[in-house]
Amino acid sequence: MSLTALALVVTAAFLHATWNFVAKRIDTREGGGPQLVFLYALVTVVVYTPLALYVLTGTRAAWPSLPGWAVIAVSALLHYGYTLVLQRGYRVGDLSVVYPLARGTGPLLSSLGAIVLLGERPGWLAIAGIGLVVGGVLVIAGGERLFRRGSMHAGAGWGVLTGGFIAAYTLADAYAIRTLMLAPLVYYYLENVLRVVLSAPAAFSRPARIKVLWQANWRKISLISTISPISYFLILTALRYAPVSHVAPAREMSMMVAALLGVRVLGEGEIHRRVGGAVLIALGVAGLTLG
């Protein structure tokens, strides 16, 4: 991985951990789910419309072709499902369990998908990194307790399911950026436009919840809708400089930040186990990056 790609991925990782920390603190007692997805996407579209128009009119970026629109639609569906599943996980589990599981399973499946579908061939060091990532994920999620009948940690299953969505949209987005050569900002902006359309019917089935949710959390929603796209713009740009099997795992350095925030700020406990697991994952990410 080039230094340019690594710098983009590291910056994105810290931004990603930050917005997930803010998302965990959103008050969803009077709403959530489709209403929250709708507000995220709508504010993102409002904030980034001027920049998207500039890229389309002031640069050589072009509107997507028919295959490009098809990938955008698939990515919008996957991102929509990802957001709903992630919110559910945050409601029933700890940040330092759900977030690391999602961000650990995601790159593992993304790397396997890149090997099978995109023909990437990681070396032995990357394979060792996969093992460390899996080990770190298990440690953070509860270690040996996960294998005891009826002892699955709250939120663990949702974290793994979120990782599946992450892997699917990562591969779709990589295809759009690397093969179809779509401009990252325009691609993600249009994907959010479709996400507004997808979430609107369910969101407006209970319009009062949209108002209550916005009034209670508008600052957090606005912050997330500004930071989250920047984080992903950086990842999409990095995919032009490095393989998926390197970029997807490397961005999971954010898990160390999330583990620290979870145990120190949110008081989720078991600091030694969770930080130890985050260190294992970070070492695995290093192996995947170098291999």
Side-chain angles (χ1 to χ4, degrees):
M1 180 181 294
S2 68
L3 291 178
T4 299
L6 184 60
L8 291 170
V9 170
V10 170
T11 304
F14 278 89
L15 290 174
H16 196 280
T18 300
W19 80 253
N20 272 266
F21 171 71
V22 176
K24 175 65 176 177
R25 299 171 72 90
I26 283 183
D27 181 2
T28 58
R29 288 174 296 179
E30 298 299 331
Q35 290 79 23
L36 195 55
V37 174
F38 173 77
L39 288 172
Y40 283 155
L42 180 62
V43 175
T44 296
V45 169
V46 171
V47 170
Y48 284 96
T49 290
L51 188 56
L53 290 175
Y54 168 76
V55 172
L56 282 169
T57 59
T59 70
R60 295 182 179 180
W63 281 95
S65 61
L66 184 59
W69 278 109
V71 177
I72 289 171
V74 170
S75 182
L77 285 168
L78 292 171
H79 275 89
Y80 181 45
Y82 154 78
T83 308
L84 292 177
V85 171
L86 182 64
Q87 287 176 37
R88 176 61 178 173
Y90 283 165
R91 284 199 295 271
V92 302
D94 291 348
L95 172 70
S96 49
V97 170
V98 177
Y99 184 79
L101 267 175
R103 305 314 306 181
T105 308
L108 175 61
L109 296 176
S110 296
S111 297
L112 293 176
I115 293 170
V116 174
L117 301 176
L118 303 180
E120 296 182 6
R121 293 294 179 264
W124 67 267
L125 189 58
I127 295 173
I130 291 174
L132 287 171
V133 168
V134 172
V137 165
L138 292 176
V139 169
I140 289 177
E144 74 284 353
R145 287 179 295 178
L146 288 176
F147 300 97
R148 297 175 187 170
R149 186 175 181 180
S151 63
M152 176 66 79
H153 196 294
W158 292 103
V160 173
L161 183 58
T162 302
F165 275 98
I166 291 171
Y169 74 62
T170 297
L171 293 172
D173 295 348
Y175 178 78
I177 300 303
R178 295 172 65 91
T179 303
L180 300 181
M181 299 299 294
L182 299 181
L185 189 145
V186 173
Y187 171 76
Y188 192 59
Y189 171 81
L190 292 175
E191 188 265 313
N192 271 278
V193 172
L194 289 184
R195 210 183 308 180
V196 171
V197 175
L198 286 171
S199 58
F204 279 97
S205 65
R206 296 182 176 180
R209 287 192 173 188
I210 299 177
K211 181 179 179 180
V212 172
L213 191 62
W214 175 254
Q215 289 176 339
N217 302 283
W218 70 269
R219 291 183 180 85
K220 295 184 183 74
I221 291 171
S222 298
L223 181 60
I224 293 169
S225 297
T226 301
I227 293 178
S228 178
I230 295 174
S231 173
Y232 208 61
F233 294 156
L234 296 176
I235 292 299
L236 292 177
T237 304
L239 286 171
R240 289 195 164 179
Y241 297 95
V244 176
S245 56
H246 290 190
V247 172
R251 68 182 297 208
E252 306 317 324
M253 285 181 279
S254 60
M255 286 184 287
M256 293 191 70
V257 181
L260 182 61
L261 289 173
V263 297
R264 287 296 189 184
V265 181
L266 300 181
E268 293 177 350
E270 298 186 274
I271 182 171
H272 297 296
R273 176 176 59 78
R274 291 179 176 178
V275 173
V279 171
L280 285 178
I281 293 172
L283 291 173
V285 167
L288 284 162
T289 303
L290 296 174

